[in-house]
Each structure stands twice: as structure tokens, then as C-alpha cells.
């Protein structure tokens, strides 16, 4: 089992310290894994639709003929299985876990697929959460994947840090909403990416506007956009669309075609 950095409660009583740089060693995933690109989906705060964007991007790449996967690193708020109507426990051969698959073949690993009751809360401290993310990476037989999307928890804490340091992330996509306050928080995520030397591929502004189905006029419910202030040139905007909420609740997110809204981000991902 991978080290979860929770030294205070470690059964080895510090024995792992006998190994040089034990907590800094590179973890090696199963030998059959061939993952071409890893894209982190991040946000500076919660409630902006990060999991939604993760699911839409994975679905969009899947529809283009790629093998998509989602590593749900939001351990305490794992909503990815619900979006894809995936339930039950992950299978394992005693050595490695095997991802669940959506109806269209998107590979998914999430904490909710490791719980006997998916409604049970995960009440763990940061280092333990980070250790679980390492296990999802180290101990999952992902096999061949063209694009893996990592749904990270909001903020700049233990889990995002673990993802950046453990996984060979090729780039990140930042999810935000139009409010001025959110733009300030986005800058924190941008600076973290800069510190970790991870390229920012673009920004998705969720709930950007509502388009009247009758007159097609766009209404900016949350005010005018501020994402241009970040200096990031690649920007995609998702509208407020009741159909998205309906499909999410039904576990049918794959049925929503967001390609026309996410086209710029998708192009940037393909260029990585």
C-alpha cells in the first residue's frame, strides 16, 4: 500500500524512514498502464462546476474516438459516479483495482466506488486523502488511456499538491464562474500552477450566461465576465442550461453535447 504520509498513525512506527527519501520516491503504476495525456481540472473554490466540466471534457474526448478516463481526486465530495450513473464497488484482483466504466466506456475510479454505502461520508485528514489519490494512481490497472482527466478538490491543499507532485500532469484547466470574487481566487490556482511548473491550458467559465430559448438573447445572471483579467487567452464559456442539471440528476451527462461550448479548451488539450 502506498504511503499516505500520515506518520502519526503509521503502523510502521517510522520504519519507512529507513529508506532514503521515502516520502519523495516516485511511485510506479502497473506496468500495463499507457496513459498518453493527464489533464487536471482545478478550481480555487467549491461550487463552480468542476466535476461537471471534468465529465463534459471526458465525454467530448470520448465522442471523438479517444479512450477517456477520470480519476476522481475529490475524495470527500466524489460526484463523478453520480454524473455517469456508475455504482457498486470497484473490482480488484488483490494486487490492482480495475476502473468502472460508463455506458460509453469512460473509465472511472472514485472514492464512492470504494465504499460499501455510497452515502457514507469520508471523514479523513488531509494526508490520508492524499494517500488515497496516490493509491488510485499507483494501484489501478488503467491499461490504455488517451486522455485522463483528474477531478481535483477545490483550493490549494494536500490533494492538489499530491496530484501535481505524483502524477505526470501535462496541463490544467481552471473552472470558474463570472463573479469578481472568483477571479481573485482563480489567481491563487494560477500561482500554484506556476509554482509547480504545470502549464495552464485555459479557463472554463461555468454558468456564464443564460440564453433565452425564444429570442436567443444572452442574459448575464451573475454579472459580466471577469476571466479576461487573469491573462489566460484560452477561454470557454458554459451557459446556464436546465438540460445539464436534468441529465446530471439522471446520471446521463454523456448525452449532453458540450463540444460547441468547450471547443477552444478541447483544441488546446489536443495540442499538448
Amino acid at each position: 500500500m502506498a504511503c499516505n504520509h500520515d506518520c502519526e498513525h503509521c503502523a510502521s512506527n517510522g520504519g519507512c524512514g529507513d529508506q532514503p527519501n521515502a516520502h519523495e520516491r516516485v511511485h510506479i503504476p502497473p506496468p500495463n498502464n499507457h496513459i498518453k495525456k493527464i489533464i487536471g481540472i482545478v478550481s480555487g473554490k467549491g461550487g463552480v462546476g468542476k466535476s461537471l466540466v471534468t465529465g463534459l471534457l471526458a465525454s467530448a474526448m470520448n465522442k471523438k474516438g479517444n479512450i477517456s478516463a477520470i480519476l476522481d481526486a475529490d475524495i470527500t465530495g466524489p460526484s463523478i459516479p453520480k454524473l455517469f450513473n456508475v455504482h457498486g464497488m470497484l473490482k480488484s484482483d488483490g494486487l490492482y483495482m480495475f476502473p468502472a466504466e460508463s455506458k460509453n466506456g469512460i473509465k472511472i475510479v472514485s472514492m464512492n466506488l470504494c465504499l460499501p454505502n455510497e452515502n457514507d461520508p469520508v471523514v479523513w485528514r488531509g494526508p490520508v486523502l492524499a494517500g488515497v489519490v496516490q493509491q488510485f494512481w499507483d494501484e489501478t490497472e488503467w491499461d490504455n488511456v488517451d486522455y485522463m482527466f483528474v477531478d481535483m478538490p477545490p483550493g490549494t491543499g494536500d490533494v492538489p499538491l499530491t496530484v501535481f507532485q505524483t502524477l505526470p500532469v501535462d496541463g490544467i484547466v481552471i473552472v470558474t464562474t463570472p463573479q469578481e470574487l472568483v477571479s481573485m481566487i482563480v489567481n491563487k490556482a494560477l500561482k500554484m500552477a506556476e509554482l509547480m511548473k504545470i502549464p495552464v491550458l485555459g479557463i472554463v467559465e461555468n454558468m456564464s450566461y443564460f440564453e433565452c430559448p425564444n429570442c436567443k438573447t444572452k442574459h448575464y445572471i451573475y454579472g459580466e465576465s471577469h476571466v479576461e483579467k487573469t491573462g489566460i487567452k484560452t477561454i470557454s464559456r458554459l451557459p446556464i442550461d436546465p438540460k445539464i442539471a436534468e441529465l446530471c440528476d439522471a446520471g446521463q451527462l454523456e448525452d449532453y453535447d458540450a463540444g460547441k461550448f468547450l471547443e477552444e479548451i478541447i483544441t488546446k488539450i489536443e495540442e499538448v
Side-chain angles (χ1 to χ4, degrees):
M1 182 176 291
C3 175
N4 61 22
H5 305 295
D6 187 16
C7 300
E8 182 181 353
H9 302 97
C10 183
S12 70
N13 293 318
C16 64
D18 295 335
Q19 304 176 38
N21 302 318
H23 293 301
E24 299 178 6
R25 63 183 181 272
V26 176
H27 296 272
I28 302 175
N32 292 332
N33 286 353
H34 301 284
I35 301 170
K36 294 179 181 178
K37 300 294 179 183
I38 300 176
I39 309 299
I41 312 299
V42 308
S43 65
K45 65 183 294 295
V48 298
K50 177 178 44 55
S51 296
L52 169 67
V53 171
T54 301
L56 290 176
L57 285 173
S59 297
M61 300 310 288
N62 177 264
K63 289 171 183 175
K64 297 186 74 169
N66 299 291
I67 301 173
S68 295
I70 299 176
L71 191 160
D72 188 356
D74 195 351
I75 305 301
T76 60
S79 54
I80 291 295
K82 168 68 175 176
L83 300 180
F84 290 92
N85 195 30
V86 174
H87 305 280
M89 300 279 285
L90 293 175
K91 293 180 172 56
S92 170
D93 63 0
L95 183 62
Y96 296 128
M97 297 180 291
F98 299 96
E101 290 194 9
S102 71
K103 67 176 183 179
N104 292 336
I106 297 174
K107 302 181 181 187
I108 298 171
V109 166
S110 172
M111 191 65 215
N112 250 27
L113 303 176
C114 299
L115 299 172
N117 181 355
E118 63 183 26
N119 292 318
D120 287 344
V122 176
V123 188
W124 296 339
R125 295 188 184 276
V128 180
L129 300 176
V132 172
V133 173
Q134 284 190 338
Q135 286 182 275
F136 282 172
W137 173 250
D138 296 339
E139 301 175 19
T140 300
E141 185 73 75
W142 293 101
D143 202 14
N144 292 312
V145 172
D146 294 313
Y147 293 96
M148 173 182 283
F149 296 91
V150 183
D151 182 12
M152 288 197 263
T156 55
D158 286 330
V159 173
L161 185 61
T162 295
V163 170
F164 287 153
Q165 292 181 330
T166 305
L167 278 62
V169 178
D170 294 286
I172 65 169
V173 172
I174 297 177
V175 182
T176 183
T177 52
Q179 298 96 319
E180 177 78 36
L181 174 62
V182 176
S183 296
M184 181 271 292
I185 296 173
V186 165
N187 286 328
K188 295 181 182 292
L190 286 170
K191 289 181 179 178
M192 181 177 186
E194 182 180 348
L195 286 172
M196 303 305 297
K197 295 181 172 56
I198 305 291
V200 177
L201 304 180
I203 292 179
V204 175
E205 184 179 74
N206 189 28
M207 298 179 280
S208 183
Y209 58 88
F210 170 75
E211 184 176 293
C212 175
N214 297 319
C215 67
K216 304 302 179 182
T217 300
K218 291 183 179 180
H219 301 275
Y220 297 91
I221 308 297
Y222 295 107
E224 294 292 337
S225 174
H226 297 281
V227 292
E228 287 83 0
K229 296 180 180 180
T230 63
I232 302 299
K233 295 181 179 180
T234 303
I235 300 171
S236 291
R237 291 178 168 87
L238 279 173
I240 298 171
D241 186 350
K243 185 64 176 179
I244 296 179
E246 178 184 332
L247 291 174
C248 286
D249 289 342
Q252 298 173 358
L253 183 62
E254 288 170 291
D255 293 342
Y256 190 83
D257 186 8
K260 62 181 179 180
F261 302 116
L262 300 173
E263 184 176 357
E264 291 188 41
I265 292 290
I266 291 171
T267 298
K268 197 71 175 181
I269 290 172
E270 292 175 325
E271 292 174 351
V272 173

